[in-house]
Amino acid sequence: RKEVEQDPGPFNVPEGATVAFNCTYSNSASQSFFWYRQDCRKEPKLLMSVYSSGNEDGRFTAQLNRASQYISLLIRDSKLSDSATYLCVVKRSTGRRALTFGSGTRLQVQP
Amino acid sequence: GAVVSQHPSWVICKSGTSVKIECRSLDFQATTMFWYRQFPKQSLMLMATSNEGSKATYEQGVEKDKFLINHASLTLSTLTVTSAHPEDSSFYICSARAMMIADTQYFGPGTRLTVL
C-alpha cells in the first residue's frame, strides 16, 4: 500500500465550479501535511499547509482528519489557471524529514 | 522567498555517459538537501538525503554507486548519474531545507534528463 494515496483523476470541471480532492495516508507518525501544486514539467510549489483545525486561503480550504488519516482540499470558484496536478504531501515526525508525495490528482478547468 | 536553482535545466546525453546536476540554495544556507526523481505521470520519489559534510542517505532501491551525491557546502549539492542509461531518463528535482526556517523545504526547478 502506498504511504500517500490520491485519486489520479483527471477531474474535468467548468469554470466557477467547486471541486474537492481527497487523500489518505497510512503512517500514523505523519506530523505535517501539505498540498502542493505542480504544473506540467515544473517543480512542485507549496499551495498550503494543512492544520487539524482546518484552514482557508482565499478560494482554497484544507481539512485534516487525523483519526481517519484523511486530508482534503476544496477549491471554490475554479479558474482556468487552477488547472494543474495537486499533490498531497506528508512529513513524518520521526526519522528522515523528507516529504512523501502522493501521485497527484489532475485538475482540468474548462471554459 | 528562498530560491533554489538547478543546473542544467535539461540535458540530453548518450547512453554510458555521466551527467552532473547541481543544486544551489541562492539566498540561504541549507543543512539538508533532498534529491527526488519523477517519472511521467508518477509521484516524486525520494532518492537520497544529503547533509552537508557527511555521506548521503539513500532510499531503498537507489544505487549509491550509480547516483553519486556530494554536499560539500551549505549552499551546494551535486547529483552525478554515472553511466546513464535510457531508463535513467527522468525529471530530477532537488529541495533544500533552510537552517533558520524550520520545516520548510524549497524546491529547485528540476532537471529533465534524457538518455538516448
Side-chain angles (χ1 to χ4, degrees):
Chain A
R1 183 188 173 188
K2 291 181 183 177
E3 190 167 340
V4 181
E5 299 231 38
Q6 293 182 252
D7 180 343
F11 284 56
N12 295 304
V13 303
E15 269 187 291
T18 296
V19 61
F21 304 138
N22 302 320
C23 166
T24 57
Y25 60 96
S26 60
N27 193 322
S28 59
S30 299
Q31 179 189 50
S32 304
F33 308 90
F34 312 90
W35 283 101
Y36 275 72
R37 169 193 171 130
Q38 187 175 26
D39 292 289
C40 188
R41 294 177 173 265
K42 300 284 188 182
E43 78 276 22
K45 294 188 176 176
L46 179 64
L47 181 65
M48 59 197 303
S49 300
V50 187
Y51 304 114
S52 296
S53 55
N55 49 298
E56 187 175 307
D57 182 1
R59 297 182 292 110
F60 299 85
T61 301
Q63 296 276 356
L64 167 64
N65 184 321
R66 286 187 183 271
S68 303
Q69 296 183 192
Y70 171 95
I71 306 161
S72 67
L73 175 69
L74 183 77
I75 305 176
R76 291 181 298 278
D77 189 22
S78 299
K79 312 290 185 191
L80 294 176
S81 57
D82 293 334
S83 298
T85 297
Y86 291 82
L87 305 171
C88 177
V89 182
V90 306
K91 184 164 67 177
R92 296 179 190 175
S93 60
T94 58
R96 60 174 173 83
R97 306 203 50 177
L99 302 175
T100 301
F101 286 81
S103 55
T105 299
R106 180 158 168 70
L107 172 65
Q108 184 68 46
V109 181
Q110 297 163 335
Chain B
V3 178
V4 175
S5 71
Q6 272 185 250
H7 178 81
S9 55
W10 58 269
V11 58
I12 301 173
C13 69
K14 292 182 179 179
S15 186
T17 59
S18 293
V19 176
K20 180 187 280 189
I21 303 170
E22 291 187 351
C23 177
R24 292 181 186 273
S25 54
L26 297 184
D27 52 0
F28 66 98
Q29 292 184 322
T31 48
T32 305
M33 289 184 171
F34 303 95
W35 287 96
Y36 295 85
R37 179 169 55 181
Q38 185 178 34
F39 292 106
K41 298 187 179 182
Q42 293 187 27
S43 130
L44 277 77
M45 296 299 295
L46 179 68
M47 298 176 67
T49 301
S50 168
N51 293 301
E52 185 264 338
S54 62
K55 289 183 179 180
T57 302
Y58 289 81
E59 295 300 299
Q60 192 172 15
V62 178
E63 300 173 57
K64 63 180 182 180
D65 294 330
K66 181 170 180 64
F67 299 98
L68 303 178
I69 291 174
N70 184 284
H71 193 159
S73 77
L74 285 170
T75 59
L76 172 65
S77 176
T78 61
L79 167 68
T80 301
V81 183
T82 61
S83 187
H85 288 97
E87 58 266 30
D88 298 323
S89 299
S90 187
F91 191 45
Y92 292 85
I93 307 175
C94 73
S95 74
R97 190 171 76 206
M99 285 176 70
M100 303 306 292
I101 310 173
D103 287 347
T104 300
Q105 291 185 27
Y106 301 92
F107 283 85
T111 297
R112 190 159 300 279
L113 170 64
T114 302
V115 185
L116 303 176

